[in-house]
Structure formats: structure tokens, C-alpha cells
Amino acid sequence: MPGSREARIEALRGRIAAIEAGTRTPTPVLPFGDPRIDDRLPGGGLPRAGWHEVVGEGLEGESGASTAAFAALLARPRISKGAVVWVLRRSDLYAPGLVNLGFPVERLVMVRVRDEAEGLSVLEDALATPGVSVAIGEAEAPDLVAGRRLQLACERAGGFGIVLHRRPYGGPARGATGSAAFSRWRVGPAPGRAPPPDSLGGGLGLGPPAWRVALERCRGGRPGAWILEHSEADHGPHPFRVVSELADHDLAQTPPERLRRVG
């Protein structure tokens, strides 16, 4: 709401984020709605125009399933309107799974590319295109030059970008050569909580998906680690809920019988 207290606070957060992160243009931020995360981000949230990296743990570096779900929810608050472009190396994005996460697949444009260079080029073009609110692309190790081009494209059109680090055809991992991303998140699946008990005293099915998430780097921010789960509760603009904040990367104590493994 223009002129409202919330709008003025959000604009102030954007200016603070730009100063601390060193971006060319002040940009508003989108908070998670939980101070355990927002206090570690400059300006109290992720910038609405910028790109981010999501890295998977273990086999997630090849399958990309858990990281893709996390990226979809990370981007979802930015896609209330406009097109969403997903740049793929393989045609294995599971659209019904995105629907279950509230992702607007009716505005999703999937682009299959031949190699990483072509993928980064398509991702840059998508981020610079008016009307594209979010662009997500797979890449194994974008270099600094490619990263800076992505950031400039975000600033020109106000787009929100995510690069999923993925080796879709396996093979040895290539070392990172540096990054121009605003933030880097390392993500792996976490034990999900059991669903609420039914009338017979036992819950059916699986609980909400959960992730073990580490904010490894953030310009102007501080690292952190949490267990997050998908939640639509009215506690914040992001569809995540903090289950626990991790210290020394240990899970919070939870009775084993209440845990169910989710993919």
C-alpha cells in the first residue's frame, strides 16, 4: 500500500540492503517473517531483484529433487503475477509436485537447453525480459562473469533469479570459481513431522516436506542453519516455517517415532 507504514519500512529495508550488499540499485526486500532468518539478512529479507544460488547435499547434486522444491517455495512469493521461466538440462521437472507446493504451473515456461553455457544465456535473457517475474536455471558452476551478467539482468528488469547447482548427468563435481550471487543456500532433505492425529489417534500419509537448510554466504549478512518445512500458516510472506534453528548442524531432539522420511 503506497505511503503506508509497511511500504516505508520495506523501502528503508531496500536501501539498507543495497548499501550493505553493494548493489547498484536500491531494491525492496521480501522478509521471511521469522527473525531467526531475517536478522541474518541485510535489510531483513531477500532483495526482490537479484539472484541466488541453491546447492544440494550429496545425491541432490545430481537428482535436484529436494533443491527444486525448495527453490520453488523460495521464489513463490515473487510470482503473484508474470511468467516464470525454468531452464532445464533434462526434462525431469515434476509439475504435479510443484502444484502441491502452490506453484503456478499455468504461468510456467520450461526451456530445455543443450549445455550449461546455453542455459546461463537463456537464464540471463529471461531475467532481463519484462513480464518475467522469476527465472530458475540449472548450472553446475557459473563463473564470476556469468554471475555478474545475471545480476545486471535482474537489476535492469527487476527479476528474481535462482541458479540450482546440479550435475544432471552425474560425473565428478567441478569446483566453484567464485560467485556474484546475493546468497548461497545449501539444502538437503530432513525428516518430516508426522501428520496430525485423526479421530482414531493416528495420522495418515506424510507430513509437510522439510529441508535442512544452511545459508552459507550472503552479502552483508551472516550465515545460519535451520530446519524448515512447507507451511501456509499466516506467520509470514514466505511459505516456510522454522522448525528449529541448528547449532553445530545437529537436529533438534524429536522422538524417533514421530519422524517420517520425506524425499
Side-chain angles (χ1 to χ4, degrees), residues 154-230:
C154 291
E155 293 178 10
R156 282 199 299 270
F160 185 90
I162 296 176
V163 169
L164 294 177
H165 284 234
R166 185 186 177 198
R167 291 175 287 115
Y169 301 104
R174 287 161 43 190
T177 58
S179 173
F182 179 83
S183 67
R184 177 188 293 156
W185 305 77
R186 185 169 295 277
V187 177
R193 296 191 299 171
D198 56 20
S199 58
L200 299 178
L204 298 177
L206 297 173
W211 299 266
R212 187 184 185 106
V213 177
L215 176 61
E216 290 189 333
R217 62 177 296 272
C218 176
R219 279 185 281 162
R222 295 178 295 127
W226 308 268
I227 296 293
L228 303 181
E229 70 176 13
H230 177 208

Side-chain angles (χ1 to χ4, degrees), residues 60 66 188-194 205-211 228 259-263:
E60 289 297 328
S66 182
R193 296 191 299 171
L206 297 173
W211 299 266
L228 303 181
L259 300 179
R260 297 186 179 183
R261 176 70 62 180
V262 297

Side-chain angles (χ1 to χ4, degrees), residues 21-213:
T23 56
R24 290 168 177 249
T25 307
T27 176
V29 299
L30 183 67
F32 279 81
D34 191 308
R36 287 172 288 183
I37 300 179
D38 293 335
D39 288 350
R40 295 177 181 271
L41 302 171
L46 292 180
R48 290 178 176 270
W51 73 282
H52 309 266
E53 294 180 322
V54 176
V55 184
E57 289 184 339
L59 291 177
E60 289 297 328
E62 297 181 17
S63 70
S66 182
T67 52
F70 176 81
L73 290 178
L74 189 68
R76 211 187 73 183
R78 286 285 285 113
I79 50 180
S80 58
K81 60 181 180 180
V84 185
V85 176
W86 202 305
V87 185
L88 299 155
R89 295 286 306 279
R90 295 180 58 179
S91 300
D92 56 355
L93 185 62
Y94 188 59
L98 296 179
V99 172
N100 291 334
L101 296 173
F103 199 82
V105 294
E106 69 277 6
R107 288 186 276 117
L108 176 63
V109 179
M110 290 188 285
V111 181
R112 174 84 182 272
V113 296
R114 292 168 295 187
D115 53 35
E116 180 154 322
E118 185 178 58
L120 289 170
S121 177
V122 172
L123 183 61
E124 179 187 343
D125 289 343
L127 288 170
T129 301
V132 174
S133 58
V134 170
I136 301 171
E138 298 176 358
E140 183 178 344
D143 59 22
L144 274 174
V145 174
R148 286 170 180 155
R149 293 176 66 92
L150 293 178
Q151 180 58 36
L152 289 174
C154 291
E155 293 178 10
R156 282 199 299 270
F160 185 90
I162 296 176
V163 169
L164 294 177
H165 284 234
R166 185 186 177 198
R167 291 175 287 115
Y169 301 104
R174 287 161 43 190
T177 58
S179 173
F182 179 83
S183 67
R184 177 188 293 156
W185 305 77
R186 185 169 295 277
V187 177
R193 296 191 299 171
D198 56 20
S199 58
L200 299 178
L204 298 177
L206 297 173
W211 299 266
R212 187 184 185 106
V213 177

